[in-house]
Amino acid sequence: MSKTKPFFTETEEQQIVAAIQKAEKNTSGEIRVHIEPTFKGEDVMSRAITVFNDLKMFETDARNGVLFYVATEDKQFVILGDDGINEVVPDLFWETTKNKVINQFKQGQFAQGLIDGIKEAGNQLKTYFKYQSDDTNELSDEISKG
């Protein structure tokens, strides 16, 4: 167990998880958040891909997992979508979502940035991956930490 202060309060974590659950009511897409201090030895995209694979986010039926990766000390952020998403969405699909997150991050509102981004991702994904009445939650909604 890390002795460093958590990046988010317990309340903020609950709000982020609630945002994931709400967003997933609009889409069959699966959203996860991963927080860690740094991505030593890799570039940020490579690290996000490693985390995506470690979390087995590619194991959704429609290959429609989305990872919000944040390296807090390195001040880096990536949104990474699985192949099923990237095959059907237009270029720059994630720009609106990324901009919503970054705008809040610049103001020091890290939890709200993720909440806004998760909400936007859910709204964007419902166009391509509609929620089905028999949809199951294929990936954990809890924040993973490194």
Side-chain angles (χ1 to χ4, degrees), residues 56-70:
K56 299 187 184 324
M57 293 191 62
F58 52 84
E59 291 186 352
T60 60
D61 286 342
R63 297 291 304 264
N64 58 355
V66 177
L67 175 65
F68 285 75
Y69 171 84
V70 181

Side-chain angles (χ1 to χ4, degrees), residues 8 13 16-17 20 25 31-33 44 56 69 75 91 93 102 104 111 118 128-129 132 136-137:
F8 294 118
E13 285 195 19
I16 293 166
V17 170
I20 292 169
K25 293 293 182 199
I31 300 169
R32 297 239 25 211
V33 172
V44 68
K56 299 187 184 324
Y69 171 84
K75 297 183 176 159
D91 292 341
F93 176 76
I102 289 172
Q104 291 287 352
I118 290 162
Y128 303 95
F129 299 95
Q132 306 296 320
T136 59
N137 193 11

Side-chain angles (χ1 to χ4, degrees), residues 89-104:
V89 299
D91 292 341
L92 306 176
F93 176 76
W94 294 112
E95 287 304 304
T96 304
T97 304
K98 183 176 83 173
N99 290 337
K100 285 187 182 253
V101 175
I102 289 172
N103 287 338
Q104 291 287 352

Side-chain angles (χ1 to χ4, degrees), residues 7-145:
F7 190 71
F8 294 118
T9 66
E10 189 173 322
T11 299
E12 288 172 327
E13 285 195 19
Q14 290 170 356
Q15 291 169 337
I16 293 166
V17 170
I20 292 169
Q21 292 167 340
K22 185 174 181 181
E24 289 181 356
K25 293 293 182 199
N26 292 320
T27 177
S28 64
E30 294 288 333
I31 300 169
R32 297 239 25 211
V33 172
H34 180 83
I35 305 289
E36 61 188 8
T38 185
F39 52 91
K40 294 176 188 161
E42 297 181 84
D43 66 71
V44 68
M45 182 57 78
S46 295
R47 179 62 185 148
I49 291 168
T50 297
V51 169
F52 189 96
N53 290 328
D54 288 349
L55 295 174
K56 299 187 184 324
M57 293 191 62
F58 52 84
E59 291 186 352
T60 60
D61 286 342
R63 297 291 304 264
N64 58 355
V66 177
L67 175 65
F68 285 75
Y69 171 84
V70 181
T72 57
E73 291 174 13
D74 293 331
K75 297 183 176 159
Q76 295 291 314
F77 163 70
V78 172
I79 301 175
L80 186 61
D82 202 354
D83 293 343
I85 296 171
N86 295 329
E87 288 171 1
V88 298
V89 299
D91 292 341
L92 306 176
F93 176 76
W94 294 112
E95 287 304 304
T96 304
T97 304
K98 183 176 83 173
N99 290 337
K100 285 187 182 253
V101 175
I102 289 172
N103 287 338
Q104 291 287 352
F105 280 12
K106 285 179 180 176
Q107 298 174 46
Q109 302 296 318
F110 299 104
Q112 191 61 52
L114 287 172
I115 290 165
D116 289 355
I118 290 162
K119 180 180 177 182
E120 181 66 21
N123 287 336
Q124 296 272 349
L125 287 173
K126 71 181 175 184
T127 302
Y128 303 95
F129 299 95
K130 299 210 181 305
Y131 181 82
Q132 306 296 320
S133 60
D134 63 346
D135 189 59
T136 59
N137 193 11
E138 296 176 273
L139 300 174
S140 171
D141 297 332
E142 296 302 313
I143 296 171
S144 68
K145 298 172 186 165

